[in-house]
Amino acid sequence: MDSRGIKRITIFSGHYGSGKTNVAVNYALWLKSHCDKVSIADLDIVNPYFRTKDSMAVLEENGVKLISSEFANSNVDVPALPAETYGVLQNREIHAVIDVGGDDRGALALGRYSDAILEDGDYELLFVINKFRPLTRNADLTLEIMAEIEKACHMKFTAIVNDSNLGDETTAEDVLDSVSYANEVSEKAGIPIKMTTVKKDLYESLSDKIDNLMPIELYVRQSWAERNE
């Protein structure tokens, strides 16, 4: 993926179960190879059991600071947001990655910071899509989710991340099959596709077939059964 045009604040949002948390973690690690100070803030108040904090060890090993609620990975489910987030957004020496909870409910948390982000101006809000989720299986359904999230967070998406996958079962054909879907979402939404994610073991076979391909690891795992609840 091209390192040109990196924004200081990169926000990932999308439908619940789209894989956005895993994408956010991978992006933060990639960003650290290009920027000195990188932090990732977990604003997921929807699901305290499947969070960015799952990847704390790999983030710390690579020098990425994790900001998350003290209730992450606990049995306490409250809408408590990390106070440090404002500091990260205001410190222009830090490149921030923000992982937002799924759907419009999760995007409400982002709305608390939208004024500060819009005032800063150096940001991108990325819509993570997954063709293989039941409620985003076609472009029109996906755009409905997109509109709901934008309304909740008081911000507009700037680009799309095609993260269409079936977890460990994803094949190269699955990824290729998602390209036309992603292109249709992009065309109808009027925003570009920033990247298409793919497991590292599939990258070589697809690198000459898909533009802006980003190889990723599955740092945050969720069973396919959970994805289809």
Side-chain angles (χ1 to χ4, degrees):
M1 189 172 63
D2 196 337
S3 62
R4 292 174 295 181
I6 290 176
K7 298 294 185 180
R8 193 179 72 80
I9 302 170
T10 304
I11 309 160
F12 292 89
S13 186
H15 179 44
Y16 177 76
S18 61
K20 62 182 178 48
T21 295
N22 193 65
V23 175
V25 169
N26 276 273
Y27 183 81
L29 294 171
W30 173 85
L31 192 59
K32 189 64 176 68
S33 66
H34 299 281
C35 305
D36 184 31
K37 297 180 180 180
V38 176
S39 293
I40 181 168
D42 184 348
L43 299 190
D44 191 345
I45 63 173
V46 177
N47 186 357
Y49 306 107
F50 181 55
R51 304 284 298 269
T52 309
K53 198 168 184 178
D54 295 343
S55 301
M56 178 184 289
V58 70
L59 291 168
E60 289 182 346
E61 288 171 6
N62 286 274
V64 176
K65 182 177 181 180
L66 171 62
I67 299 170
S68 67
S69 167
E70 62 182 298
F71 299 106
N73 286 7
S74 72
N75 60 358
V76 180
D77 186 6
V78 298
L81 295 173
E84 290 179 89
T85 303
Y86 274 115
V88 169
L89 295 177
Q90 294 168 355
N91 188 341
R92 299 197 61 82
E93 294 184 358
I94 298 175
H95 280 78
V97 177
I98 300 178
D99 175 28
V100 181
D103 299 335
D104 53 342
R105 181 187 169 199
L108 288 172
L110 178 60
R112 303 187 192 184
Y113 304 96
S114 60
D115 287 344
I117 294 170
L118 291 169
E119 182 178 354
D120 180 278
D122 191 7
Y123 75 93
E124 57 185 344
L125 176 55
L126 305 180
F127 185 38
V128 182
I129 63 175
N130 186 344
K131 175 183 178 179
F132 302 108
R133 289 291 294 154
L135 296 183
T136 55
R137 61 184 180 274
N138 62 51
D140 290 337
L141 289 172
T142 304
L143 291 171
E144 289 179 12
I145 299 290
M146 179 181 180
E148 291 170 357
I149 293 173
E150 290 180 333
K151 181 178 180 180
C153 71
H154 311 296
M155 296 176 67
K156 293 289 186 180
F157 284 104
T158 60
I160 291 167
V161 175
N162 178 16
D163 186 47
S164 296
N165 73 90
L166 294 164
D168 288 322
E169 300 173 10
T170 309
T171 66
E173 289 71 25
D174 291 327
V175 180
L176 288 170
D177 187 51
S178 73
V179 172
S180 59
Y181 154 80
N183 286 337
E184 185 178 0
V185 174
S186 171
E187 182 178 350
K188 289 186 173 182
I191 55 177
I193 298 173
K194 181 180 177 69
M195 69 180 94
T196 295
T197 62
V198 62
K199 293 190 302 176
K200 284 191 173 181
D201 60 337
L202 299 176
Y203 178 78
E204 186 175 346
S205 64
L206 293 170
S207 60
D208 62 343
K209 297 180 177 68
I210 302 175
D211 294 332
N212 299 321
L213 200 64
M214 179 182 180
I216 63 173
E217 297 279 6
L218 296 180
Y219 291 118
V220 182
R221 295 180 180 273
Q222 184 178 28
S223 74
W224 185 239
E226 288 175 307
R227 284 173 173 242
N228 284 277
E229 287 181 349

